[in-house]
Amino acid sequence: MDEAELREQLERHHELSFGWALSCCARQADEAEDVLQTVYLKILEGRARYDGQSSFKTWLFAVIRLTALDERRRHWLRRLRLRGYKREQPVTVEADRTLESSERLQAFRQALAKLPERQREVLHLVFYQELTVEEAASVMGVSLGSARTHYARGKDRLRTWLAASELFHERKTSPATLP
């Protein structure tokens, strides 16, 4: 793949790539931007090469995931070394206030956060990034059977937790209350 085609592919997948980077970086937008910039540099400098064994999107998401893990490890080591010298302030991301105040969204996020990491990852890749379970397995670096198991268990757990929450029950109106 030549550089022009590579750049075109990166531009085409940029929005989805940022969403995946954000997911890999625990919703820290600044960190996700840094990870994505590092990924683009790796690719354009030839340190990460697309070999055509999977779709470009699947390969790109795997590079993003591995880069995010490297950055997390590097950040953790940096904090460990600087622990006695500096106190870090937590970084917060301003989100849409109307969505944040939504009780249903909060309940869904809490249910999603309760899932083990692999289940969260595969559900995110399949539902939000529109990958197949097979492509998600490749991105996550696990076997297809493992990805299918995490996918099924994650869906079952979410379904159970959300069914138990009264926020997700549809309100039924009686005929007397209809206008």
Side-chain angles (χ1 to χ4, degrees):
M1 181 178 287
D2 67 355
E3 186 175 336
E5 190 177 356
L6 192 61
R7 287 180 183 271
E8 189 269 326
Q9 287 284 343
L10 290 174
E11 287 177 22
R12 182 181 317 153
H13 296 294
H14 176 70
E15 190 174 324
L16 293 174
S17 296
F18 181 71
W20 177 239
L22 198 58
S23 177
C24 292
C25 296
R27 299 274 177 220
Q28 300 295 322
D30 291 341
E31 190 176 330
E33 289 172 358
D34 290 344
V35 164
L36 204 52
Q37 182 176 6
T38 302
V39 166
Y40 290 164
L41 283 173
K42 280 182 181 179
I43 293 170
L44 294 174
E45 291 175 350
R47 292 184 286 140
R49 295 176 193 241
Y50 176 61
D51 60 9
Q53 290 185 0
S54 61
S55 73
F56 183 83
K57 182 178 174 182
T58 300
W59 171 79
L60 177 60
F61 280 23
V63 173
I64 291 169
R65 180 177 172 271
L66 293 173
T67 302
L69 288 172
D70 286 344
E71 289 297 317
R72 188 179 311 147
R73 185 175 25 251
R74 199 173 291 125
H75 183 71
W76 180 80
L77 289 171
R78 207 175 298 132
R79 276 193 304 181
L80 187 63
R81 280 184 266 144
L82 296 175
R83 180 180 278 170
Y85 300 108
K86 175 183 167 184
R87 292 189 181 221
E88 290 188 18
Q89 297 296 321
V91 178
T92 59
V93 178
E94 278 298 313
D96 186 351
R97 299 251 184 240
T98 58
L99 291 178
E100 287 295 319
S101 63
S102 166
E103 290 180 25
R104 291 179 81 175
L105 181 60
Q106 290 297 340
F108 181 76
R109 283 185 177 166
Q110 289 171 355
L112 202 55
K114 290 178 186 178
L115 292 175
E117 182 178 352
R118 294 278 186 188
Q119 291 175 12
R120 266 196 325 269
E121 279 184 0
V122 73
L123 289 174
H124 177 90
L125 289 169
V126 171
F127 290 117
Y128 293 111
Q129 301 301 334
E130 298 178 358
L131 296 180
T132 64
V133 175
E134 184 175 351
E135 290 171 327
S138 178
V139 168
M140 295 169 60
V142 299
S143 70
L144 178 57
S146 178
R148 284 182 177 153
T149 300
H150 291 305
Y151 179 71
R153 288 178 182 170
K155 284 193 325 181
D156 289 343
R157 282 187 174 173
L158 271 180
R159 186 179 301 116
T160 301
W161 289 332
L162 296 178
S165 170
E166 294 196 14
L167 293 171
F168 292 91
H169 292 248
E170 290 192 29
R171 292 188 175 94
K172 295 183 180 179
T173 56
S174 65
T177 61
L178 293 176

